[in-house]
Amino acid sequence: MIEFIAGGLVVTCMVLAICCLFLYVRKNKIKFAWWKWALSIIWLLYTDISVAFLSTTIGENELGATLRGGGAFVAIAVVTGIVLFRFVILNKGGKKRDA
Amino acid sequence: MENEKVNPSVQTNPESKGPELSRRNFLKLSAASVGAAAVVTGAAAAGVAGYANATDRRTATGWETETGDEEYFDRKPFEVSKPTNRVVGPTRNIEYLSPAQYRRNVLSRFFDVPEGMAFADYLRTVADVNNLEATPFSIINNPDLVKYYQDMLDREGWNFFAEDLRYFLEVLPRRTRILAETEFDLTLAKAYVNGHYYLSGYHLSRISKESDFEGVSETKYDVRDPAEMTRLIKKVGRMYGSPIVRIVELNNDFAYDRCPQESRGYTFGEPLNIPSHWKYGIITTYPLSWETIVASPHAGASQEGYAYVAVTDEKLSTFIKQLGYSARPNDRQHNYEYVLPPLAVLAGVGEQGRLSSCVTPEFGAHVRLGMVVTDLPLVPDKPIDFGLQKFCQNCKICAENCPSGSISFADKPREINGRGYEGWPINTATCSNFWYETPNPTMGCRICVTVCPFTKRSNWIHTAARDVAVRDKTGISASMLTWMERAFYGTHDGEYYKYVDGSREYNVVKEMPWFFKTGDFFVEPS
């Protein structure tokens, strides 16, 4: 049961995060092409899967997989998250759409 | 004041005590904050879901019984007309002398052992104990055995005679020492496994050459539709505890040429005349418990699966006999006329892997097989191809982990043992010897079965990985998953598992389960 509740929460939070991103780009008048939406959604999915991998390997008592696999996945999620936010969402140096 | 820069996001209300956000910026900030919170909460929830899934008993294997209508893997899209272990030459039966353990049980008969002399003592007088490989076949008085040994030597380069001698002269004496020093540590493991043996004598006593028709109902109805009968048998088989039930049309290539041991009403070496009324085999399966298989090779045993599958076979045989048709179980506790893995491959239970066992797409290699032969009209299932041959060509983890070096590293499968079928050869003599060189009271080792990447828990990670691997025809994801298996989960070389005499340390695939740790429950006598 807890898997279903947590799974529902994951989906809800993803939808909420996407809605917030939508609001953010609208209020900031940021030009947001379809591929930026795609990248953002993929990053969200990847991050959730990485955290789920980390906790699953803890749950199955595979410490090596937690440290090596989970660690690598989460590190990649953090780095790509920073890159995504800095250069894609904030669009530093890019164009803003017309008001 | 003229030069003072004004932050456009902060407006000063003359009536208020400090700066305040504009509505627009409040919304921006709110969106960013709530978005960030949603990302963190979502990730945390994913973590909780993953942990809950991993610790859920249902994601461990070994419980999948009485499942009702559905198998755990839809084989339909993977069905093919011919099995992936192809016929590449003239086929023949399996030699009755090929099962190493059965052969060794009767080996003393093939030598002129003086009366009253122990077999091992006799061998010390005739074999070159410092170089067992050099012992001539001429001391054997059975031409079938000489031919078998010579064939294996010529074909594979394996001296099974030397390995059999090593079994009697080195392995068994060492085993006696190992069992004595590890007896206390493995008391619980031994007791647990022996619990599974409790019906084995009973099962065997029910089988004879005529037992197919014993207890068969006098009333026999004609089957309306063999396809519907197949559906019924699969349903009942699953309700009797087999998560996979498949039908095979019997292929006598996979029967022994003669009886490999005295059982089922046969004497040793008696020709096995397969009755003409045997038409179909109903393949049954039982996965071993995940908790015990990860203690391979030093604890746990295949009897866990064999015991359950024998009960299923007994029930299924009785069910069929009640309908007026003949039935006879073939499984470890009832013994066999047939070798089951190739028949299971024919029935589409799985494919034959590098480790030579039948590897299933949902449980990997750690299922134990049974079969009920019958004349009940049924429709045979098709074999399946879920890409295992290609996967095994690249993987080789089982071969790397094998302590006795019995599994081939060859890239491609080839014709094996002169039987006309393709596969990867297994040195059964060295394999069997290692079983006895573990402290496992009921014999090791099952390492290959346990480390196979298809043998994993059924949580979301491994289920998803298996589902992707079997559907990606390019083999890229299979290579990637094998790499991840090595890099993340880690593997060992064979040396890691070898017991060091006197150490009382047990290097197993994962960990010894808590319920096998005798010292936590009993006081060791000093």
Side-chain angles (χ1 to χ4, degrees), chain B residues 88-120:
Chain B
V88 287
T91 61
R92 63 174 169 85
N93 292 110
I94 294 166
E95 307 94 325
Y96 73 113
L97 291 165
S98 61
Q101 205 43 54
Y102 295 168
R103 181 174 72 242
R104 289 165 184 180
N105 287 344
V106 295
L107 200 72
S108 62
R109 298 181 188 186
F110 306 136
F111 297 84
D112 299 316
V113 185
E115 206 168 317
M117 185 183 253
F119 183 47

Side-chain angles (χ1 to χ4, degrees), chain B residues 43-57:
Chain B
V48 172
Y51 186 83
N53 183 241
T55 51
D56 189 337
R57 276 288 298 161

Side-chain angles (χ1 to χ4, degrees), chain A residues 43-82:
Chain A
W43 181 83
L44 269 176
L45 277 170
Y46 174 79
T47 302
D48 284 358
I49 288 170
S50 296
V51 175
F53 180 92
L54 193 82
S55 61
T56 303
T57 51
I58 292 171
E60 61 180 1
N61 205 16
E62 293 279 5
L63 193 62
T66 307
L67 294 174
R68 291 188 289 266
F73 286 146
V74 170
I76 291 168
V78 170
V79 172
T80 51
I82 291 168

Side-chain angles (χ1 to χ4, degrees), chain B residues 201-350:
Chain B
Y202 168 78
H203 287 318
L204 199 52
S205 72
R206 306 250 299 165
I207 302 292
S208 68
K209 286 177 190 168
E210 298 79 31
S211 61
D212 309 21
F213 297 99
E214 286 170 3
V216 173
S217 171
E218 287 179 11
T219 310
K220 180 179 181 178
Y221 302 109
D222 289 337
V223 171
R224 190 188 292 274
D225 177 2
E228 278 302 292
M229 181 52 61
T230 302
R231 192 165 79 91
L232 172 70
I233 287 294
K234 288 184 175 182
K235 168 72 178 171
V236 172
R238 282 196 283 271
M239 291 180 78
Y240 283 158
S242 171
I244 307 169
V245 184
R246 304 277 288 185
I247 312 298
V248 64
E249 188 167 7
L250 289 172
N251 179 339
N252 289 340
D253 283 349
F254 305 123
Y256 290 108
D257 52 2
R258 297 167 182 227
C259 191
Q261 60 175 340
E262 274 163 33
S263 71
R264 298 171 71 94
Y266 296 97
T267 57
F268 171 75
E270 184 180 338
L272 281 179
N273 297 316
I274 299 296
S276 58
H277 64 270
W278 286 3
K279 297 268 190 278
Y280 302 105
I282 304 162
I283 304 285
T284 53
T285 55
Y286 202 93
L288 304 174
S289 158
W290 181 259
E291 287 175 291
T292 60
I293 194 170
V294 295
S296 300
H298 301 310
S302 304
Q303 276 296 336
E304 194 184 55
Y306 289 136
Y308 284 116
V309 91
V311 171
T312 298
D313 290 351
E314 194 69 55
K315 288 177 182 176
L316 201 51
S317 299
T318 305
F319 176 79
I320 291 167
K321 286 179 176 181
Q322 292 285 305
L323 306 176
Y325 293 86
S326 72
R328 186 189 295 192
N330 265 254
D331 54 58
R332 184 66 193 88
Q333 293 204 350
H334 290 92
N335 260 327
Y336 312 91
E337 277 91 8
Y338 287 93
V339 172
L340 298 189
L343 287 174
V345 170
L346 269 182
V349 172

Side-chain angles (χ1 to χ4, degrees), chain A residues 28, chain B residues 8-11 21-30:
Chain A
N28 282 286
Chain B
S9 69
V10 180
Q11 295 175 353
L21 287 172
S22 69
R23 192 170 145 268
R24 165 178 279 196
N25 288 317
F26 175 75
L27 276 173
K28 277 191 210 170
L29 198 62
S30 299

Side-chain angles (χ1 to χ4, degrees), chain A residues 1-3 5-7 9-10 12-14 16-17 19-21 23-24 27-29 43-44 47-66 68-70 72-73, chain B residues 23-24 27-39 41-56 58-59 290 456-457 459-462 484 486-490 510-511:
Chain A
M1 178 55 93
I2 192 167
E3 290 168 42
I5 294 169
L9 196 55
V10 172
T12 308
C13 287
M14 278 193 67
L16 191 58
C19 289
C20 288
L21 182 61
L23 269 178
Y24 185 84
K27 294 294 172 191
N28 282 286
K29 298 187 170 62
W43 181 83
L44 269 176
T47 302
D48 284 358
I49 288 170
S50 296
V51 175
F53 180 92
L54 193 82
S55 61
T56 303
T57 51
I58 292 171
E60 61 180 1
N61 205 16
E62 293 279 5
L63 193 62
T66 307
R68 291 188 289 266
F73 286 146
Chain B
R23 192 170 145 268
R24 165 178 279 196
L27 276 173
K28 277 191 210 170
L29 198 62
S30 299
S33 308
V34 174
V39 170
T41 311
V48 172
Y51 186 83
N53 183 241
T55 51
D56 189 337
R58 288 168 298 172
T59 63
W290 181 259
K456 285 286 184 186
R457 295 169 66 108
N459 62 40
W460 71 274
I461 293 178
H462 306 304
M484 286 165 76
R486 283 195 176 89
F488 298 165
Y489 284 84
K510 297 288 179 196
E511 61 178 340

